[in-house]
Amino acid sequence: MGEPFVTARGLRKVFHSRGRDVTALDDVSFTLARGETLGLVGPSGSGKSTLARVLMRLIEPDAGAISIDGEDWLALRGRALRQRRGAIQMVFQEPLAAFNPRATIGGALDDPLRIHGIADRADRAERPRRIAELLERVGLPAGFAQRAVHEVSGGQRQRVAIARALATRPALIVLDEAVSALDVSVRGTILELLADVQKSDGIAYVFVSHDLAVVRVIAHRVAIMDAGRIVETGPTPGVIADPQSAMGRALVAAVPRLDFGRDDGA
Ligand SMILES: Nc1ncnc2c1ncn2[C@@H]1O[C@H](COP(=O)(O)OP(=O)(O)OP(=O)(O)O)[C@@H](O)[C@H]1O
Ligand SMILES: [Mg+2]
């Protein structure tokens, strides 16, 4: 098999807030192969988003190591870090919320192309073509480029967010509660889209969710978090069928359809 694509070892993060120490990550380790999805599940405050943000280098851990594609990811600084950033993308729950509501979807997709210098060398006429291509990949018509971000539905906005993440041809996408705000039916179509994109591009996902029912659909392996620690990890069907940790059992029990009648091939 060779070395995993992502290896995290002994990650630790303590927040100091209002005179209190909160250990958000406590000796967290995991591996991730290319094209694989690791589901990160746990209750509110268990450290999922902190781990996501550490992976993205949005916050620095107090201890631990991350290697990505054989490279010491936490040692990258300055220009080298900027050059590699496009290789990892993130999709949040409301990823376009920060946008000026009048900004167009085309503009939102143009940013990563410019920032990462992807369409710089190509002539300017190339950019609308790349944007149309990205929209098509996520099942939206090219005409969406002219629409304003706030005019489209939540599901469509999440498709745009995925297109935006794909713009830099990432090898890893970290999704933090990316489908949690969507209706169940829309959620299903977005999960299908993510699975299709993964199959064609071999992208690895770290898929964060508090909901094991959602993670079950998309994750090859699951890591259960509790109070900053990964308390259980394994292939998703096995963990769901026979959780070994107290938190694993609690999460399985919280999804009634998972708790009985697991004869649906899942
Ligand atoms: N910037 C911060 N300053 C202080 N404490 C923080 C900060 N960010 C997170 N924490 C604390 O760290 C712990 C883990 O938070 P985190 O956001 O990673 O949890 P989570 O699993 O993503 O929860 P949720 O499911 O609610 O999103 C919590 O106790 C949280 O209050
Ligand atoms: Mg969170």
Side-chain angles (χ1 to χ4, degrees):
M1 279 284 305
E3 201 179 336
F5 175 52
V6 180
T7 304
R9 286 283 165 252
L11 294 173
R12 180 176 178 78
K13 180 72 189 179
V14 179
F15 289 111
H16 312 279
S17 99
R18 295 188 208 119
R20 233 163 46 88
D21 282 356
V22 176
T23 306
L25 296 180
D26 186 3
D27 195 18
V28 166
S29 302
F30 66 89
T31 63
L32 182 65
R34 277 190 186 275
E36 185 186 33
T37 300
L38 177 69
L40 212 56
V41 198
S44 186
S46 57
K48 307 180 298 293
S49 295
T50 303
L51 181 52
R53 292 167 68 208
V54 164
L55 281 173
M56 293 299 300
R57 293 285 308 270
L58 297 173
I59 52 177
E60 298 292 316
D62 300 318
I66 301 172
S67 112
I68 297 184
D69 208 8
E71 193 163 45
D72 182 350
W73 179 243
L74 297 179
L76 290 174
R77 299 272 180 276
R79 211 167 99 88
L81 177 60
R82 280 196 301 279
Q83 277 173 351
R84 303 296 199 298
R85 265 201 193 282
I88 302 191
Q89 289 289 347
M90 190 154 178
V91 175
F92 302 93
Q93 188 163 342
E94 267 295 342
L96 301 181
F99 273 78
N100 174 344
R102 278 180 310 201
T104 62
I105 285 169
L109 294 177
D110 198 40
D111 287 345
L113 295 176
R114 264 189 313 105
I115 293 164
H116 294 278
I118 287 166
D120 265 3
R121 283 149 295 174
D123 77 275
R124 289 185 74 116
E126 169 78 4
R127 297 230 288 255
R129 207 181 56 74
R130 281 295 307 278
I131 289 168
E133 222 173 75
L134 285 167
L135 287 170
E136 193 197 337
R137 287 216 56 196
V138 297
L140 294 173
F144 258 64
Q146 274 76 54
R147 307 272 296 269
V149 163
H150 76 97
E151 285 178 356
V152 305
S153 73
Q156 288 165 338
R157 268 204 301 281
Q158 216 54 342
R159 286 178 190 271
V160 173
I162 293 165
R164 201 172 134 83
L166 293 175
T168 60
R169 304 191 207 286
L172 170 64
I173 303 181
V174 178
L175 301 116
D176 191 351
E177 304 284 1
V179 301
S180 302
L182 303 175
D183 291 348
V184 175
S185 61
V186 178
R187 186 180 292 174
T189 63
I190 299 294
L191 292 173
E192 267 170 42
L193 170 65
L194 288 169
D196 287 348
V197 165
Q198 179 172 64
K199 213 171 278 171
S200 60
D201 291 21
I203 302 172
Y205 295 146
V206 172
F207 189 94
V208 172
S209 177
H210 63 279
D211 187 351
L212 196 52
V214 171
V215 167
R216 174 178 76 142
V217 177
I218 191 151
H220 303 109
R221 280 190 306 130
V222 63
I224 309 253
M225 289 194 74
D226 186 10
R229 304 184 69 96
I230 291 180
V231 293
E232 176 167 4
T233 181
T236 310
V239 169
I240 287 173
D242 188 19
Q244 299 297 307
S245 63
M247 184 53 73
R249 284 190 292 274
L251 290 169
V252 169
V255 186
R257 278 184 47 229
L258 293 182
D259 204 23
F260 60 86
R262 266 183 310 276
D263 52 356
D264 56 356

